[in-house]
Amino acid sequence: MAKKSKGQELAEKLTWSAPNIAKEAPKQEGKAQKFCEGYKKFLDEGKTERECVAYAVKLLEKHGYRPFQEKTVYEPGDKVYYVNRKKALIATTFGREPLEKGLRINGAHIDSPRLDLKVNPLYEKNDMAFFKTHYYGGIRKYQWGAIPLAMHGVVYKKDGTAAEICIGEKPGDPVFSITDLLPHLSGKQNERPLKDGLKGEELNIVVGSLPFQDEEVKEPVKLLALQLLNEQYGITEADFYRAEIEMVPAFLASDVGLDRSMIGAYGQDDRICAYTALMAEIDSKSPSYTTVTILTDKEEIGSVGNTGLNSDYVLHYIEDLADLAGVPVRRILRNSICLSSDVNAAYDPTFSDVFESQNSCYINRGCVLTKYTGARGKSSSNDASAELLAKVIGILERDGVYWQAGELGKVDEGGGGTIAQYVAHMDVDTVDLGVPILSMHAPFELSSKLDVWNTYRAFKAFYK
Ligand code: MN
Ligand code: MN
């Protein structure tokens, strides 16, 4: 190599930008590919928060985790988990340091934008049967028409037993769909603003078109649909009032690109952080500090409800840990660090005008640290301190993790929030860290495998 000029040497010393991993560490590609096979399976097995919890519990049990119990003596290296109402989960590996030195908390969410069935969903119109929906989370409604949808959920029957529904995932299963207009007749619809391309009350799901054979019945197509559901699940129309049914994209996770460098799938926000956090938790055998890995629900609608992080369920869990050690919970919280692990918007060259290129995250440059989220002057953000950023960057660099920093788009272009503010509310030092995503909240989101791998490495380093 030619000798560097003085200016080149100085620039190397004084300037910084996040390197492209694919250029600087191409050897990571193999490990990333291998790691992401497990991630794709996680995405396919868990398309709802309930399914994610069930699959995570299976993995945790397989790796020696047992349900957390009060009044038990736990040793360093012991592994426990706690499930909150089948929709959220906390896993812990006890650390070598005493609890009062603080916890290492990592919180990701396992709910994703989708279409929920209304409580009274089924109707017939012009000899076709439909489900009415109410969308969940921030969706761009026009993206949900004319794609295959699967039906997932749970229905409680009058006798108290539950029917677990999953239609549209197994090969050969039927799927469902929302209709959209043909271009030949969409002249008027084309004049609508894009946000109204499909309107909320147009997100109606086609369920069937054949009638129950009986001239005397008023709505025979609806009746046949009910008969088929009753035969398979033992449910009746009244049971929809005791149900939670989510319609999600029916396709599986795929490699994307000729080079297979990316993953395309539904629900990567935020199962991408949930999986990497869970794997780092499982792979931490003897951490210094006790770990608290949270897979939470309801982030997409503001962390509401008692399975969302605006509830005290995590605090109560940490209080239970404090009781074991006989130390005040506030001392533990004050000394803890939390990664609020969630995705950020990757710079999209096609829509570059909404990004500020110098402060955006890019695919293939590693996990992204987000000092603050929020909108309009950072309102509703957590805004991590310089001290905490110094500590977390130190942890990442100690282990050679590829990381970058990013804001969510240009100032005043929009914005968003995460669970960070709710964890910080407990007096815990919290910062957002996650994975850059293209087409976030779309039925098919894109991520980079190198970024997934480095996010896992970041979480491993955090739990060392
Ligand atoms: Mn998210
Ligand atoms: Mn989201």
Side-chain angles (χ1 to χ4, degrees):
M1 258 222 276
K3 198 172 174 296
K4 283 178 189 148
S5 73
K6 263 212 162 105
Q8 277 175 318
E9 268 175 20
L10 193 63
E12 208 165 274
K13 208 167 121 193
L14 298 185
T15 64
W16 191 79
S17 62
N20 184 315
I21 311 166
K23 291 178 186 164
E24 205 171 277
K27 281 202 178 121
Q28 287 197 3
E29 186 62 31
K31 280 181 184 153
Q33 291 279 357
K34 204 169 151 218
F35 182 79
C36 285
E37 290 306 305
Y39 172 47
K40 283 186 285 178
K41 188 164 162 52
F42 182 77
L43 288 168
D44 293 343
E45 297 280 333
K47 288 196 174 180
T48 68
E49 57 282 1
R50 286 169 188 268
E51 291 171 357
C52 279
V53 166
Y55 188 64
V57 165
K58 221 161 56 177
L59 290 178
L60 290 169
E61 287 271 354
K62 200 175 122 190
H63 289 91
Y65 287 74
R66 293 295 171 258
F68 173 76
Q69 287 182 330
E70 293 170 41
K71 299 192 180 66
T72 306
V73 178
Y74 289 109
E75 302 291 335
D78 282 352
K79 289 174 171 284
V80 298
Y81 69 92
Y82 165 79
V83 172
N84 178 7
R85 297 170 174 86
K86 302 181 183 176
K87 299 194 212 183
L89 174 145
I90 306 175
T92 284
T93 305
F94 286 88
R96 300 190 306 271
E97 296 283 353
L99 275 173
E100 59 191 307
K101 291 272 179 78
L103 306 164
R104 288 282 163 95
I105 305 170
N106 188 357
H109 67 93
I110 47 176
D111 61 315
S112 294
R114 61 181 188 249
L115 304 173
D116 286 342
L117 290 197
K118 288 193 183 186
V119 286
N120 183 13
L122 188 59
Y123 69 99
E124 172 169 341
K125 196 173 177 188
N126 303 108
D127 299 329
M128 291 173 74
F130 298 89
F131 281 142
K132 294 225 70 91
T133 65
H134 192 146
Y135 62 96
Y136 172 95
I139 65 165
R140 307 189 72 196
K141 300 181 195 80
Y142 75 90
Q143 294 176 336
W144 291 72
I147 61 167
L149 296 169
M151 180 176 175
H152 292 239
V154 62
V155 184
Y156 279 86
K157 292 176 265 189
K158 208 169 184 173
D159 64 5
T161 60
E164 307 259 353
I165 295 180
C166 182
I167 306 171
E169 297 293 349
K170 290 189 294 294
D173 264 11
V175 296
F176 307 88
S177 194
I178 289 164
T179 57
D180 196 0
L181 273 176
L182 58 168
H184 319 65
L185 295 178
S186 61
K188 236 188 280 169
Q189 188 196 33
N190 288 345
E191 300 302 318
R192 295 181 186 177
L194 187 59
K195 71 179 176 57
D196 297 325
L198 285 174
K199 296 178 187 174
E201 290 294 350
E202 292 170 343
L203 298 174
N204 300 319
I205 292 168
V206 176
V207 175
S209 65
L210 294 180
F212 183 84
Q213 298 294 338
D214 185 338
E215 297 287 305
E216 303 301 314
V217 177
K218 238 173 68 195
E219 295 183 311
V221 182
K222 174 178 165 177
L223 187 64
L224 184 72
L226 280 171
Q227 186 192 26
L228 292 169
L229 284 171
N230 183 263
E231 279 171 6
Q232 208 174 342
Y233 300 104
I235 60 174
T236 70
E237 190 173 27
D239 295 330
F240 281 118
Y241 290 91
R242 291 183 286 256
E244 284 177 19
I245 298 174
E246 307 176 9
M247 305 300 294
V248 298
F251 32 75
L252 298 179
S254 314
D255 288 346
V256 171
L258 294 169
D259 54 11
R260 295 179 177 270
S261 60
M262 293 162 280
I263 289 173
Y266 163 68
Q268 298 203 69
D269 174 6
D270 184 35
R271 292 170 191 139
I272 199 163
C273 293
Y275 181 73
T276 42
L278 187 67
M279 287 302 112
E281 164 63 46
I282 286 172
D283 293 342
S284 294
K285 303 301 177 203
S286 176
S288 301
Y289 301 95
T290 297
T291 69
V292 172
T293 303
I294 308 163
L295 308 190
T296 195
D297 182 28
K298 293 288 187 288
E299 191 279 338
E300 293 294 357
I301 58 169
S303 296
V304 298
N306 59 8
T307 52
L309 268 198
N310 202 5
S311 119
D312 284 338
Y313 81 90
V314 173
L315 176 63
H316 294 162
Y317 178 82
I318 297 172
E319 281 173 343
D320 285 344
L321 293 180
D323 285 349
L324 294 180
V327 289
V329 69
R330 60 180 181 275
R331 197 182 303 160
I332 297 178
L333 292 166
R334 204 181 290 139
N335 291 327
S336 296
I337 308 177
C338 174
L339 298 180
S340 157
S341 298
D342 208 339
V343 298
N344 197 335
Y347 184 91
D348 185 338
T350 302
F351 298 103
S352 56
D353 57 324
V354 301
F355 296 93
E356 193 264 280
S357 61
Q358 189 172 313
N359 286 283
S360 292
C361 59
Y362 294 79
I363 66 161
N364 288 339
R365 295 194 196 179
C367 62
V368 50
L369 265 173
T370 304
K371 185 181 188 305
Y372 45 82
T373 58
R376 296 171 305 281
K378 312 181 191 177
S379 94
S380 294
S381 85
N382 155 62
D383 209 347
S385 70
E387 288 80 0
L388 179 61
L389 284 161
K391 201 180 267 184
V392 172
I393 290 169
I395 290 170
L396 300 178
E397 294 194 331
R398 184 191 65 199
D399 272 28
V401 175
Y402 283 92
W403 68 277
Q404 56 186 322
E407 279 194 38
L408 184 65
K410 273 183 182 165
V411 176
D412 289 342
E413 192 68 48
T418 63
I419 62 161
Q421 56 177 312
Y422 304 106
V423 183
H425 180 83
M426 295 192 289
D427 191 21
V428 172
D429 276 323
T430 307
V431 63
D432 283 289
L433 188 150
V435 189
I437 295 280
L438 291 159
S439 306
M440 194 200 293
H441 282 208
F444 195 70
E445 304 171 302
L446 302 188
S447 65
S448 131
K449 292 182 179 177
L450 285 167
D451 296 339
V452 175
W453 173 240
N454 277 278
T455 303
Y456 163 75
R457 293 183 63 226
F459 295 162
K460 269 293 290 278
F462 181 63
Y463 280 168
K464 241 185 190 169

